[in-house]
Amino acid sequence: MSAPLLRVRDLCVSFPARRGRAPVRAVDQVSFDIAPGQTLGLVGESGSGKTTTGRAILQLQAASSGSVQLLGRELTAMSGRDLRAMRRHMQFVLQNPYSSLHPRMTVANTLAEPLAVHRSVPRHAIPERVAELMTLVGMDPAVVNRYPHEFSGGQRQRIVIARALAVNPDFVVCDEPVSALDVRTQAQIVDLLQHLQARLGLSYLFIAHDLAVVRAVAHRVAVMYGGRIVELGNAAQVYENPAHPYTRNLLDAVPVVDPARQRALLAEAAADPDFRGREGEPGPCVFGTDHAATATAHWHDIAPGHGVSCRFWPPGAAPDSR
Amino acid sequence: MTDAPPPLLDVRGLTAAFGRAAPVVRDISFHVAPGEAVGFVGESGSGKSVTARAVLRLAPEGSPLVWGGQILYGGQDLLRLDEHAMRGIRGRRIAMVFQDPMSSLNPVMTVGAQIDDMLMQHMGLSRRAARRRTVDLLGLVGIRDPAMRADDHPHQFSGGMRQRVLIAIAVSCEPDLLIADEPTTALDVTVQAQILRLLMRLRRELGMALMLISHDFGVIAGMVERVHVMQGGEIVETGDVDALFAAPRHPYTRALLDAVPRLDARR
């Protein structure tokens, strides 16, 4: 196996809490690798720490501890010029294409800015590169002098992707890149991201709350809950053989495009499992025990490349009380 | 064909336009029977939200809408009612839940006080009776410790809990028809499933009809009996939900169905 492009080890991010309370561990001991040209899907609910993980990797959020290595270089120890130089290799695409484009900047200026900042191409070559980027994301270069409000949500997201690709990155964090879009536009943007990956050899961290959205893009999938990764495996392992009850819960929540089956699913009187506590606090463990149980659960490798963190693993065994 | 019961809502030739611009909804007709659930599926700009709002004569922010056609409800044409009479319908007989649960609540009032106020105004309840009913309603929509949570402010609720609060407000006057416009679009999938279950249960317990609007066929699938597919301001396909999912006739319907992300999709 080739060396990973991105290597994250024991990453922790804490936020100070109200006086007298312990800090909130938004990201807790997160570890994973992403190979060149591959996608890791990071899935979890609001508040699970997936966005903070993405921000901490990009050094937009300081890590409390742990290591983030991109292309073999440790990012957490870097600052200033060194870090700026590394930013050329890592870019991001956010959820809301309405707020992530400057409303008073034309598309041409939006795409030219990163090129100028990173001096990726000589000034006179910028217009040509901007046109090339537009074509790359399936847009007509003739519209570069328009403003964001003149485009649909899907077109805006294409522009956001073009901006991320302007500096030829190796790695892109896509944070819920399609969840604000219509389903048909979602499918088009997912296709575009896959096409760009095949053509440019990009690696993605693809963050989403919906396992179905990640299905088509991810080579590997990490499921996050309460700041921790509770299951990590190849896509086929996680989707076909989910080991953690929380993963199964996320899979069960995906609507089925079959009225009879979906009616039956909704009719199941199943008391809605409440995985979350009050806002901002980790909820109870999936087994109804307290969160501390999850926090002390050990990592079990259940197949090559597939692991789970669960106090009750293997099923039927006595709970791991360490 | 047997005689169907008279519809609760009978919309005939509805047209809506912003000022003199081209209509955003063009000559659409549909009906909703008492207790029936009807889905409207389409993308941004298809006119589905304008249709939903037209029933309550709610124009999107600050834009004058021109309506044409008829919206018959209980023998009256809602498009011809004066504003005072319309207020008797809106919220009481026909209620609505919107996509964004945060912007629909007042951030500086407790959730309970907002529901109390509405019950006092709409139902003429005393403050004390209103609070009793508020606590009942919060319990009905699955909020734990409703008496205590009534004194919390909206920011103390998660997105899903806020949507439950809005549903509680919507059903507080036991409406005949609930219009839910993308009620789960801003929510996690897990929470979406809970909200859909809640809507199903309330529909059954309160005997309300439901108009469910979404861009996502997955959301509509288990929830409704009939579906209207909207594109460019028109209804392009209508059908019984099982038949329409099994054999969509319009290419646009097929495209929307194919776009729903599935767990069995292979790379």
Side-chain angles (χ1 to χ4, degrees):
Chain A
M1 201 174 141
S2 58
L5 178 93
L6 178 78
R7 193 181 133 100
V8 177
R9 283 297 175 276
D10 299 321
L11 184 67
C12 294
V13 180
S14 298
F15 293 110
R18 265 168 287 169
R19 217 179 309 174
R21 294 207 189 185
V24 176
R25 278 212 158 178
V27 177
D28 196 2
Q29 304 275 322
V30 162
S31 301
F32 55 74
D33 292 341
I34 303 182
Q38 297 237 321
T39 301
L40 175 74
L42 183 61
V43 183
E45 289 175 284
S46 321
S48 62
K50 55 195 195 303
T51 292
T52 307
T53 300
R55 290 174 51 85
I57 290 169
L58 294 175
Q59 308 301 308
L60 298 171
Q61 166 70 51
S64 335
S65 63
S67 149
V68 177
Q69 287 176 17
L70 183 69
L71 295 158
R73 303 194 58 197
E74 179 61 47
L75 299 181
T76 53
M78 271 185 202
S79 59
R81 181 184 300 210
D82 289 343
L83 185 56
R84 264 200 301 282
M86 283 308 282
R87 291 205 183 283
R88 195 183 75 65
H89 300 285
M90 50 186 192
Q91 292 288 312
F92 64 104
V93 171
L94 299 180
Q95 171 173 358
N96 190 335
Y98 294 84
S99 58
S100 50
L101 288 172
H102 195 298
R104 304 281 297 273
M105 270 168 85
T106 62
V107 173
N109 288 337
T110 295
L111 297 183
E113 192 169 44
L115 296 172
V117 168
H118 289 278
R119 299 199 182 89
S120 330
V121 295
R123 191 154 282 281
H124 67 84
I126 286 181
E128 193 188 329
R129 175 69 178 146
V130 165
E132 189 183 299
L133 286 165
M134 291 292 276
T135 311
L136 187 65
V137 296
M139 300 270 294
D140 179 358
V143 300
V144 289
N145 290 318
R146 297 198 186 157
Y147 290 90
H149 74 265
E150 298 176 72
F151 297 97
S152 68
Q155 289 171 323
R156 282 185 226 205
Q157 201 58 304
R158 285 175 192 267
I159 295 165
V160 171
I161 292 169
R163 178 179 59 188
L165 299 182
V167 294
N168 275 321
D170 301 282
F171 170 62
V172 182
V173 173
C174 305
D175 190 354
E176 298 274 11
V178 299
S179 54
L181 305 172
D182 284 330
V183 283
R184 213 163 47 130
T185 317
Q186 286 185 9
Q188 289 160 359
I189 295 294
V190 163
D191 282 352
L192 173 67
L193 287 170
Q194 286 183 283
H195 161 81
L196 292 170
Q197 180 168 58
R199 180 156 165 195
L200 306 172
L202 295 167
S203 298
Y204 296 132
L205 177 68
F206 194 105
I207 299 172
H209 67 89
D210 185 346
L211 271 165
V213 169
V214 172
R215 183 65 175 119
V217 291
H219 301 84
R220 287 176 61 75
V221 176
V223 178
M224 217 168 160
Y225 169 70
R228 301 193 131 224
I229 290 181
V230 296
E231 183 160 2
L232 174 66
N234 296 327
Q237 293 170 324
V238 173
Y239 284 91
E240 281 150 37
N241 200 11
H244 200 286
Y246 182 68
T247 309
R248 284 198 289 273
N249 178 259
L250 286 180
L251 287 167
D252 288 345
V254 174
V256 187
V257 196
D258 173 338
R261 277 177 59 204
Q262 178 67 5
R263 269 195 295 272
L265 278 174
L266 290 174
E268 274 173 23
D272 295 319
D274 187 1
F275 290 102
R276 255 182 298 185
R278 298 278 282 236
E279 201 75 357
E281 290 172 25
C285 174
V286 287
F287 289 102
T289 54
D290 61 311
H291 176 69
T294 313
T296 57
H298 288 241
W299 191 258
H300 301 270
D301 287 313
I302 54 180
H306 189 191
V308 64
S309 170
C310 180
R311 195 165 159 258
F312 288 75
W313 187 269
D320 177 356
S321 59
R322 279 172 293 182
Chain B
M1 218 168 113
T2 52
D3 283 347
L8 177 73
L9 183 76
D10 190 0
V11 173
R12 296 179 184 176
L14 178 72
T15 294
F18 295 99
R20 286 192 204 151
V24 286
V25 170
R26 256 191 304 266
D27 191 23
I28 66 167
S29 300
F30 63 90
H31 61 270
V32 182
E36 186 189 29
V38 180
F40 288 79
V41 183
E43 293 175 289
S44 324
S46 64
K48 61 191 196 304
S49 288
V50 171
T51 302
R53 283 158 185 261
V55 174
L56 284 175
R57 284 210 341 235
L58 296 170
E61 302 142 36
S63 43
L65 265 184
V66 176
W67 316 110
Q70 289 181 305
I71 299 177
L72 300 172
Y73 173 83
Q76 300 170 316
D77 183 355
L78 298 186
L79 292 182
R80 281 170 185 69
L81 283 190
D82 61 37
E83 189 51 34
H84 177 76
M86 197 58 213
R87 249 177 268 148
I89 302 274
R90 213 183 271 144
R92 290 204 207 184
R93 308 294 9 125
I94 305 176
M96 191 152 176
V97 178
F98 299 96
Q99 171 176 345
D100 181 358
M102 194 57 197
S103 59
S104 313
L105 288 167
N106 183 340
V108 298
M109 268 174 89
T110 67
V111 157
Q114 297 183 53
I115 307 181
D116 294 347
D117 274 5
M118 206 208 39
L119 291 170
M120 289 188 288
Q121 266 187 26
H122 275 297
M123 313 275 273
L125 298 183
S126 68
R127 184 164 288 280
R128 183 182 291 249
R131 178 46 63 104
R132 265 201 306 272
R133 176 98 176 107
T134 293
V135 171
D136 284 351
L137 283 166
L138 290 176
L140 178 73
V141 296
I143 289 176
R144 267 184 248 162
D145 303 324
M148 226 171 69
R149 296 304 311 263
D151 290 326
D152 282 346
H153 286 83
H155 74 269
Q156 291 167 291
F157 289 80
S158 64
M161 284 296 154
R162 273 181 221 137
Q163 196 59 290
R164 286 176 195 263
V165 168
L166 286 170
I167 291 171
I169 292 174
V171 302
S172 61
C173 300
E174 303 196 349
D176 303 321
L177 172 63
L178 179 68
I179 303 175
D181 187 3
E182 302 271 11
T184 62
T185 303
L187 304 174
D188 283 336
V189 276
T190 40
V191 181
Q192 165 170 288
Q194 295 167 14
I195 295 293
L196 293 179
R197 282 209 181 98
L198 170 65
L199 287 173
M200 286 288 262
R201 177 165 66 78
L202 290 175
R203 206 192 127 202
R204 203 170 51 235
E205 287 175 12
L206 306 175
M208 338 176 263
L210 177 70
M211 269 172 75
L212 181 62
I213 289 124
S214 179
H215 70 280
D216 184 348
F217 261 120
V219 169
I220 297 284
M223 295 290 294
V224 303
E225 283 101 52
R226 278 188 307 124
V227 184
H228 298 291
V229 182
M230 289 193 71
Q231 182 187 26
E234 292 173 356
I235 293 178
V236 295
E237 183 164 0
T238 289
D240 165 84
V241 66
D242 295 285
L244 187 132
F245 273 72
R249 288 189 312 270
H250 198 284
Y252 182 68
T253 309
R254 222 169 295 143
L256 287 180
L257 274 168
D258 287 346
V260 180
R262 289 158 210 247
L263 287 173
D264 54 6
R266 291 296 136 86
R267 288 182 59 82

